[in-house]
Amino acid sequence: MTNFLVRLFIKNPSDVQTAAVRGRYGNMAGWVGIVCNLLLAVSKLLAGLLSGSIAIMGDAVNNISDASASVITMVGFKISEKPADKEHPFGHARFEY
């Protein structure tokens, strides 16, 4: 599945030395995390409502917070694409981590 997504969304995927390609990898990973966690959250919320289980509904909230972590990952990759400047002569690539 990962190889399929890489082929679908990333041009020149083997050129990981460029910031643009690494940024595309980060965006793809972020979107996959957001979509998967939101689907899980909706399904768990529905299962919790149908069964009357607060624990399952609480787990749905946990998946929503995991989706927000994917948003933070995407922001970090976006910041890392900024070019070098006077205060950061080696660029902003460490934001990827």
Side-chain angles (χ1 to χ4, degrees), residues 44-83:
K44 288 178 182 180
L45 184 61
L46 184 62
L49 289 172
L50 291 175
S51 67
S53 172
I54 294 175
I56 296 174
M57 288 187 271
D59 199 29
V61 173
N62 180 45
N63 283 108
I64 293 171
S65 69
D66 288 345
S68 66
S70 295
V71 172
I72 293 169
T73 298
M74 292 173 68
V75 170
F77 272 93
K78 189 67 177 171
I79 292 171
S80 72
E81 291 177 348
K82 290 171 52 177

Side-chain angles (χ1 to χ4, degrees), residues 2-75:
T2 302
N3 290 332
F4 171 74
L5 291 173
V6 167
R7 284 193 314 266
L8 188 63
F9 292 112
I10 299 175
K11 283 186 191 174
N12 201 10
S14 61
D15 187 20
V16 293
Q17 298 301 317
T18 60
V21 173
R22 287 194 312 271
R24 285 188 215 115
Y25 271 106
N27 279 333
M28 183 192 73
W31 280 112
V32 168
I34 290 168
V35 169
C36 289
N37 280 301
L38 288 179
L39 288 173
L40 282 169
V42 168
S43 64
K44 288 178 182 180
L45 184 61
L46 184 62
L49 289 172
L50 291 175
S51 67
S53 172
I54 294 175
I56 296 174
M57 288 187 271
D59 199 29
V61 173
N62 180 45
N63 283 108
I64 293 171
S65 69
D66 288 345
S68 66
S70 295
V71 172
I72 293 169
T73 298
M74 292 173 68
V75 170

